[in-house]
Amino acid sequence: MIEEQIEAQVRDHYSNADAKVLLLSQLGKKLKDEGHWPPQNDSRTLTEIVEETAGVSLVRDENAKAFIAIVLAGSEQIANDAIEERHKRIFLRDVSRALLAAFTIEVDPKKNVYVHLKPKLKFSVDAQEVPDAILVDAKLRTPGLDVSDIRDLALDDVTRLDSNIRTWCNRHDVDFRAITWKQDRPDTLAETEDSQASNGLERLYAVQDPGLAKRLVIPFDIAIELSRMK
């Protein structure tokens, strides 16, 4: 039965202690590659079958409907942690490069880093207080952290940087929208729920990093199923 194949695939995936969260699209590709999908005489979608499979759980990111994780029953926290990490990486990816630099650049210990929000977001380094600028508290900075590619950051660094920037914004009443690299761009997470992404397939591509989206390969029948998801 297809349910047995699904549970076996999920158990095999998580038998590796370093395995990342398994996505519905990845499960569909594995089943397709091994000749288990689509099942004969079964009109149910993969989502419906997984939901009816004992021993596994399906966890959705409520902010991105195309991000659907599959885990063993009782291990839902694995998916929740992956979703939380994903939100943090998207937030940092959208933060202005100038602000990221303000939190990570190495400077003379006798000088401070300041952020200017207007007319254009930038930072400056000065030993004296800078008018119309906001101090980046020294305890919130991580000098020397390489943020050239958020995807390469270790989880601990992602968590610390995300927390530091949010703490700074809350402490100085800075609107999160004022620190994004392109303020007129719709929020990446919200964008996946509006009319710009009208079906599951479009939403799946919308939530991927640009580099990954270009390399993403989805079996035709799975793509059809996603395209029908509203």
Side-chain angles (χ1 to χ4, degrees):
M1 295 177 62
I2 185 64
E3 289 87 354
E4 294 175 351
Q5 295 297 335
I6 288 174
E7 183 178 2
Q9 288 283 359
V10 176
R11 288 191 180 281
D12 179 68
H13 177 82
Y14 289 108
S15 65
N16 182 347
D18 297 324
K20 294 185 177 181
V21 68
L22 178 65
L23 300 181
L24 179 68
S25 58
Q26 295 170 329
L27 175 62
K29 186 176 186 306
K30 287 185 176 183
L31 292 171
K32 178 75 172 181
D33 290 345
E34 296 186 8
H36 301 306
W37 186 265
Q40 293 184 349
N41 303 318
D42 193 333
S43 61
R44 292 176 298 170
T45 66
L46 181 57
T47 301
E48 292 171 337
I49 295 176
V50 171
E51 288 179 325
E52 297 172 8
T53 299
V56 304
S57 292
L58 185 151
V59 182
R60 292 181 171 86
D61 180 348
E62 295 303 325
N63 291 323
K65 295 179 180 179
F67 190 93
I68 303 175
I70 313 296
V71 296
L72 293 170
S75 300
E76 290 78 8
Q77 192 58 45
I78 293 175
N80 292 331
D81 289 344
I83 290 171
E84 181 180 357
E85 177 185 348
R86 177 179 167 277
H87 288 180
K88 291 175 181 178
R89 289 187 188 274
I90 289 177
F91 171 71
L92 293 177
R93 187 187 68 191
D94 286 351
V95 165
S96 164
R97 304 302 298 182
L99 189 75
L100 289 178
F103 276 79
T104 58
I105 190 172
E106 296 184 275
V107 299
D108 186 325
K110 297 181 181 179
K111 296 183 178 181
N112 292 317
V113 178
Y114 295 87
V115 171
H116 308 253
L117 296 177
K118 297 180 179 180
K120 181 179 180 180
L121 197 154
K122 64 179 181 178
F123 74 92
S124 61
V125 179
D126 204 300
Q128 305 296 324
E129 183 175 350
V130 179
D132 300 320
I134 304 173
L135 172 70
V136 179
D137 315 64
K139 292 184 178 179
L140 297 179
R141 299 184 65 252
T142 311
L145 181 64
D146 183 1
V147 292
S148 57
D149 192 334
I150 299 301
R151 293 170 298 183
D152 293 336
L153 280 180
L155 177 56
D156 287 347
D157 291 329
V158 168
T159 299
R160 180 167 60 254
L161 185 58
D162 171 88
S163 176
N164 287 349
I165 292 177
R166 291 179 185 275
T167 297
W168 178 82
C169 286
N170 292 330
R171 182 175 296 172
H172 299 285
D173 294 321
V174 175
D175 190 327
F176 290 146
R177 292 173 296 182
I179 63 172
T180 58
W181 67 272
K182 190 175 182 182
Q183 295 181 35
D184 60 348
R185 185 181 72 169
D187 178 75
T188 305
L189 293 175
E191 165 180 294
T192 63
E193 293 189 335
D194 63 26
S195 60
Q196 296 183 50
S198 60
N199 59 53
L201 184 60
E202 292 180 5
R203 291 193 296 268
L204 176 62
Y205 277 100
V207 300
Q208 306 301 321
D209 286 324
L212 176 59
K214 293 179 181 178
R215 304 191 302 272
L216 193 62
V217 177
I218 302 174
F220 180 73
D221 55 330
I222 301 298
I224 291 296
E225 179 179 336
L226 287 170
S227 70
R228 291 171 177 168
M229 293 173 59
K230 300 300 182 182

